[in-house]
Amino acid sequence: MNAVELELLLVRSSGWIAAALLILAIAWTGRWRRRFGLASFTAALVHFAAALATPLLPDLSLLVYEPHLRAGATALVVLCFLGATSFPSLVERLGIRQWKALHRAVYLAALLVLHHALLSPHLPRIGAIGLSAAILLLIARRLSPW
Amino acid sequence: MSRSNATWILIAGALALWGIVRLPIFALPVLSYLVLWSLLCRRELTWSKRSFAAVAAGSIFFFYWVVDRREEILESEQLRDLHLVLADRWRLSDLPAIAPPIAHSDRPNLHFLYAPGVAHARVEGSDLELVGLGHGLFRFELDPRRHPISEVLALDLDGERHERRLEVVRPTPHPRWLCTGFGRAASVSTETDELFSIEGETHRIAVEDRPTDCAVLPEHIAVVHESGVAILAGTSVRIELGGPLVHAAAGPSSLAVSRTHPPAILILSPDLELESEIPLSFVPDWIAFAEGHLIASSARDRTLVALRDGREAERLFLGRPVVTMALSPDRSRLYAAVTDYRPDDDAGPNHHVEDQILEIEARTLRLLRRFPTAPHASPYAIATREDGITVAFAGSDEVIRYDRSFREQARFTFDRPTGVAELGGDPIISSAANARIGAHVVGDPDPVLLAGERSFYQATRAGLSCQTCHLHGGSDYSLHDIGHGDARPTLSVRGTARTAPYLRGASYPSIAALEAFTTYVLGGYEEPIPDRARALEAFLASLPRTPPRAAADVELLRAGTDAFVRAGCNFCHRFPAFTDLAQYPEGFLFPERSEERHLLDTPSLLGVADAAPYLYDGRAETLEQVLFDENRSGRHGNARALSQSDRSALLYFLRSL
């Protein structure tokens, strides 16, 4: 396996792990939700750092101009906000209502991740179907009154 | 309305902001949501009358804008026609996969099957041979002369049954150019193995496989096939000449045929005795018999070459390939149609090209005159007369007679003319797309393909057509700046169907998405064609790709496949289409060119032998240069680690695709 393959493997696998953990965080309730969320944020940071370290992301302006990179970067910004406000002391200071209002943005992050993944040119069929189904079902469940 | 409802207020506020700022990207409402939250997080958000009114007004604004600009949003988020991109990607990852997924019922088709882990593959109920090349790759040729080509391929892979669908293109007669002489004209249809002989009326004669051109001799008509020349005179006489044969020209007492591989011009006597063979340093295309010497055009070199006494003599560099050429009746002047004239080989500014006809002194290859044909675009065929020339314009439904000073004498209207002959009286005109010779209808074209072929040659208001650069769906072997600020070689569009997204930046999910370009940059089309984009797409899919050179050495192919995998080529140039349909920044594979920051797509390697120059800016002339000279870091395939014999096997394999 040469350097190119290793670099791509690192970027792709960290991306998939981050997406899977994000889905788990949305699906779970209780303590594990926060753990999954923070783990997903960490994996997303690794994914971003790996893309930066390899020449795969040669120019930060691509994060603005390239739609799928823009979606990924925006999702990462959302996760940064959520990660930074997931300490119990901060939750108390903000008030649970305000905190919830921010953390509902995780659904936006999930949609952006889906956009990012669907446009990323390495998506296997099973990954696309699994990711779309999981994210859309979770959002539908959240929005439905039952 | 006193209940705290911060989420909904933030959503409505973010959407309202989106409607006001009108930036067609999703990041804006998401970031607005976060920013609004940061601004308001210290306050208890409740619905007040004022906030309700503001948010309602903003939302209305937003909904109006989204409905109004939905196309723009889809475009800038690359969601338009996403299903086409996903469909191609999934078809290739649904193993066992076949590429290309299109077969032509009139010619041999080369396909690849990727079925990892399968040792024996065969097609049910057929003796079709699937040649295993190792690593799960199989190569097979669908030849309509030996196997009927059907839409469904029932595969038997180690006893397991799989069905895969093929799109089958069934072409109709295509009489392209007319060849003339001795008061007669003739044309061939490669697609339907026919010769059309026009002597007063049109006769259709079934000939052997795949005629490519014809020449009228005093006694009979010589038909050039892919590998031989035949005459039809009582008993059929045929001579095999190897390699793909392209064009023929009749001289006063002999016949010249151009052969592309190995490149040569073959001189035959009228009864098909091989008189001489002139080996060439270039791949010949059109040929003409001047007085005492031959003139050949080279599409790839964009040059006219005079051949005297079996040797290459004078050259005239045109900068663009010859679309068609014809000698004046006294053989003293040559008329060549070109899409532009660039003796300085200048790429030219953004899409500036000028269709024109060059008048050239046949004896010296000196350029006498240039005649830009605007506003009539795409001259496709030229017929010469004592007192001038007649030109068929495929781009504008016109056939125009000019006098010696290129003044218009008469004009005839014909639906997409591709051939013209002057035999006295009105000119005889043929149309390939319409399958017509004069008033004679020789075929019944599919209306969608017909509209697509018309559209391909039709001129936009800017005077350009697809044909202007993609000569008959191929390349003009030139560099163009189409708005990137740098010159890039024209790619052939043959064989690219079903590998979305398209163009080097992979920014177009479909050919239909290019319509905006023709509308806004090229001024659109004068004459509307209903559902042009789809018709054009169907036509492009129906164009066969250039067949690769024969590759008979299976052992060498296997070694090449193995070298291909070991060098890591198939990680991106993935089996079976030899592309993963992905994009990478150039600096990722070529760190020495890290200043290149665009994302470039992985091109398919099918037909790569004929696709020079290589790499997106055409900086490599040969595959060796791509793999070794332009690959110092070894990141674009680790081919430098291969042994010498593996390297040559790899090149043999690549040329067989």
Side-chain angles (χ1 to χ4, degrees):
Chain A
M1 194 177 272
N2 63 29
V4 176
E5 294 172 46
L6 268 176
E7 288 166 14
L8 287 175
L9 201 68
L10 176 63
V11 174
R12 288 174 195 176
S13 55
S14 58
W16 277 112
I17 291 169
L21 287 169
L22 188 69
I23 288 170
L24 286 177
I26 296 174
W28 235 265
T29 50
R31 273 192 310 175
W32 278 93
R33 180 171 221 172
R34 179 167 162 269
R35 290 178 187 171
F36 280 135
L38 284 173
S40 170
F41 176 49
T42 315
L45 282 179
V46 171
H47 177 61
F48 182 59
L52 274 185
T54 63
L56 251 188
L57 187 59
D59 187 350
L60 288 179
S61 71
L62 282 177
L63 292 177
V64 176
Y65 297 116
E66 198 56 38
H68 80 275
L69 298 179
R70 184 168 63 219
T74 316
L76 189 64
V77 171
V78 175
L79 290 184
C80 281
F81 266 74
L82 304 192
T85 55
S86 55
F87 303 99
S89 58
L90 209 81
V91 181
E92 264 171 43
R93 259 184 47 204
L94 283 167
I96 192 70
R97 281 179 176 166
Q98 303 299 346
W99 184 86
K100 264 197 157 166
L102 177 65
H103 278 246
R104 284 191 180 119
V106 75
Y107 295 101
L108 293 180
L111 285 174
L112 287 167
V113 164
L114 182 59
H115 185 202
H116 177 66
L118 282 182
L119 290 187
S120 307
H122 324 287
L123 182 80
R125 188 184 200 138
I126 184 77
I129 294 172
L131 195 65
S132 317
I135 289 175
L136 297 178
L137 275 176
L138 286 171
I139 290 177
R141 209 188 84 189
R142 184 74 189 76
L143 287 177
S144 77
W146 306 283
Chain B
M1 273 205 270
S2 64
R3 201 159 65 87
S4 167
N5 218 332
T7 309
W8 288 110
I9 292 183
L10 289 174
I11 289 177
L15 291 184
L17 251 172
W18 198 16
I20 293 163
V21 178
R22 292 167 169 237
L23 208 58
I25 56 173
F26 293 148
L28 184 79
V30 176
L31 296 177
S32 314
Y33 188 96
L34 299 176
V35 170
L36 283 176
W37 180 85
S38 311
L39 293 174
L40 302 173
C41 69
R42 289 168 187 276
R43 298 164 59 179
E44 185 78 5
L45 289 179
T46 51
W47 290 105
S48 68
K49 273 189 182 159
R50 230 173 36 193
S51 64
F52 187 81
V55 162
S59 305
I60 291 171
F61 208 28
F62 158 77
F63 280 113
Y64 166 72
W65 173 71
V66 166
V67 172
D68 193 38
R69 310 278 283 279
R70 59 191 181 281
E71 288 294 324
E72 205 183 317
I73 299 174
L74 292 180
E75 186 86 58
S76 66
E77 289 296 358
Q78 257 179 34
L79 289 174
R80 201 162 82 146
D81 290 336
L82 179 63
H83 63 285
L84 296 176
V85 179
L86 291 179
D88 283 351
R89 211 186 285 163
W90 289 356
R91 187 177 41 71
L92 289 176
S93 62
D94 182 15
L95 301 178
I98 288 175
I102 301 173
H104 296 259
S105 67
D106 65 318
R107 66 188 67 217
N109 302 269
L110 176 65
H111 297 269
F112 289 90
L113 164 74
Y114 183 45
V118 171
H120 299 286
R122 55 179 205 89
V123 174
E124 281 184 8
S126 163
D127 59 347
L128 180 71
E129 193 192 4
L130 291 101
V131 183
L133 301 180
H135 299 278
L137 186 69
F138 294 84
R139 183 185 204 269
F140 63 99
E141 199 173 73
L142 285 179
D143 189 338
R145 285 169 296 198
R146 282 179 289 154
H147 311 280
I149 293 184
S150 66
E151 268 82 2
V152 178
L153 215 55
L155 297 165
D156 177 350
L157 306 177
D158 283 347
E160 219 175 290
R161 192 187 145 90
H162 294 271
E163 275 193 2
R164 286 292 175 270
R165 297 198 77 81
L166 282 176
E167 293 171 56
V168 181
V169 177
R170 301 184 192 280
T172 44
H174 260 66
R176 289 188 179 82
W177 301 275
L178 292 169
C179 51
T180 49
F182 311 100
R184 284 185 297 166
S187 183
V188 292
S189 165
T190 312
E191 285 78 0
T192 48
D193 298 347
E194 278 180 294
L195 169 73
F196 305 101
S197 159
I198 305 137
E199 221 180 333
E201 54 191 292
T202 302
H203 304 278
R204 304 176 68 157
I205 303 153
V207 293
E208 284 174 68
D209 57 302
R210 308 188 41 66
T212 55
D213 198 7
C214 57
V216 182
L217 302 171
E219 306 281 308
H220 39 243
I221 296 171
V223 181
V224 179
H225 297 271
E226 261 184 357
S227 63
V229 180
I231 49 174
L232 300 151
T235 57
S236 168
V237 184
R238 180 166 165 143
I239 177 170
E240 291 304 317
L241 297 168
L245 306 176
V246 215
H247 283 297
S253 60
S254 51
L255 173 72
V257 180
S258 53
R259 182 178 72 192
T260 60
H261 193 77
I265 288 190
L266 308 149
I267 312 287
L268 307 173
S269 69
D271 45 2
L272 298 193
E273 298 281 336
L274 182 61
E275 285 180 350
S276 64
E277 180 171 335
I278 309 174
L280 299 177
S281 64
F282 60 91
V283 175
D285 189 17
W286 293 89
I287 36 180
F289 252 108
E291 284 168 321
H293 67 287
L294 280 163
I295 301 172
S297 79
S298 161
R300 189 172 282 286
D301 298 345
R302 300 162 284 153
T303 304
L304 285 173
V305 184
L307 303 166
R308 289 178 204 281
D309 310 322
R311 280 196 309 276
E312 294 172 27
E314 297 88 352
R315 284 175 164 255
L316 176 65
F317 181 69
L318 307 172
R320 293 291 179 270
V322 168
V323 179
T324 183
M325 65 188 205
L327 276 173
S328 62
D330 62 1
R331 299 180 192 268
S332 66
R333 277 158 293 117
L334 179 78
Y335 294 93
V338 282
T339 53
D340 205 350
Y341 175 65
R342 296 260 166 201
D344 47 3
D345 203 13
D346 171 19
N350 187 0
H351 255 257
H352 177 86
V353 291
E354 198 174 25
D355 281 311
Q356 50 195 292
I357 289 170
L358 307 175
E359 188 182 24
I360 293 155
E361 192 176 46
R363 195 167 47 83
T364 57
L365 284 198
R366 195 165 58 87
L367 181 64
L368 298 174
R369 246 184 314 182
R370 296 169 46 200
F371 173 56
T373 56
H376 318 291
S378 295
Y380 196 115
I382 300 175
T384 53
R385 313 184 312 274
E386 298 294 344
D387 57 343
I389 61 170
T390 309
V391 184
F393 292 98
S396 61
D397 285 356
E398 288 162 315
V399 176
I400 301 180
R401 260 190 192 155
Y402 296 101
D403 67 9
R404 289 283 302 274
S405 347
F406 294 116
R407 276 191 301 264
E408 185 176 326
Q409 283 182 332
R411 179 182 294 217
F412 308 86
T413 305
F414 198 83
D415 204 344
R416 216 187 76 66
T418 54
V420 60
E422 290 282 7
L423 302 177
D426 278 353
I428 294 171
I429 307 168
S430 66
S431 166
N434 272 338
R436 268 157 215 269
I437 297 175
H440 192 86
V441 181
V442 297
D444 180 22
D446 175 345
V448 177
L449 288 182
L450 172 59
E453 190 162 352
R454 280 185 60 87
S455 187
F456 187 86
Y457 292 95
Q458 197 178 32
T460 56
R461 289 193 179 85
L464 306 184
S465 60
C466 307
Q467 159 76 359
T468 305
C469 298
H470 300 284
L471 242 67
H472 307 302
S475 167
D476 64 355
Y477 304 105
S478 306
L479 301 170
H480 291 279
D481 175 1
I482 57 165
H484 299 100
D486 56 1
R488 300 177 182 186
T490 311
L491 295 177
S492 166
V493 295
R494 288 172 175 265
T496 57
R498 312 295 177 259
T499 57
Y502 302 100
L503 275 69
R504 288 192 178 83
S507 38
Y508 291 90
S510 60
I511 304 300
L514 273 162
E515 213 170 15
F517 178 77
T518 54
T519 309
Y520 299 117
V521 181
L522 303 178
Y525 293 89
E526 200 84 58
E527 176 206 351
I529 287 184
D531 214 353
R532 176 189 300 275
R534 187 130 42 110
L536 202 48
E537 230 157 49
F539 171 64
L540 294 183
S542 80
L543 290 176
R545 70 191 175 94
T546 318
R549 278 164 226 164
D553 190 339
V554 175
E555 279 316 309
L556 203 51
L557 283 180
R558 284 197 183 118
T561 311
D562 191 53
F564 188 78
V565 174
R566 272 190 291 127
C569 305
N570 74 323
F571 198 72
C572 297
H573 295 286
R574 199 175 294 168
F575 300 145
F578 296 90
T579 169
D580 58 357
L581 304 178
Q583 297 85 50
Y584 302 93
E586 198 186 10
F588 182 64
L589 298 165
F590 306 99
E592 64 276 15
R593 296 175 64 84
S594 57
E595 76 282 5
E596 296 294 339
R597 293 181 168 174
H598 311 288
L599 295 179
L600 299 172
D601 74 330
T602 315
S604 170
L605 298 182
L606 294 178
V608 74
D610 200 43
Y614 301 107
L615 303 174
Y616 89 98
D617 52 359
R619 62 182 184 275
E621 285 295 327
T622 62
L623 289 170
E624 285 89 339
Q625 281 178 18
V626 175
L627 287 169
F628 307 113
D629 305 343
E630 292 292 340
N631 184 24
R632 302 245 159 73
S633 63
R635 284 174 71 94
H636 184 222
N638 199 9
R640 287 166 161 264
L642 297 174
S643 70
Q644 203 56 47
S645 65
D646 282 347
R647 288 182 181 195
S648 51
L650 176 60
L651 289 166
Y652 184 79
F653 172 68
L654 289 174
R655 291 187 180 120
S656 76
L657 298 178

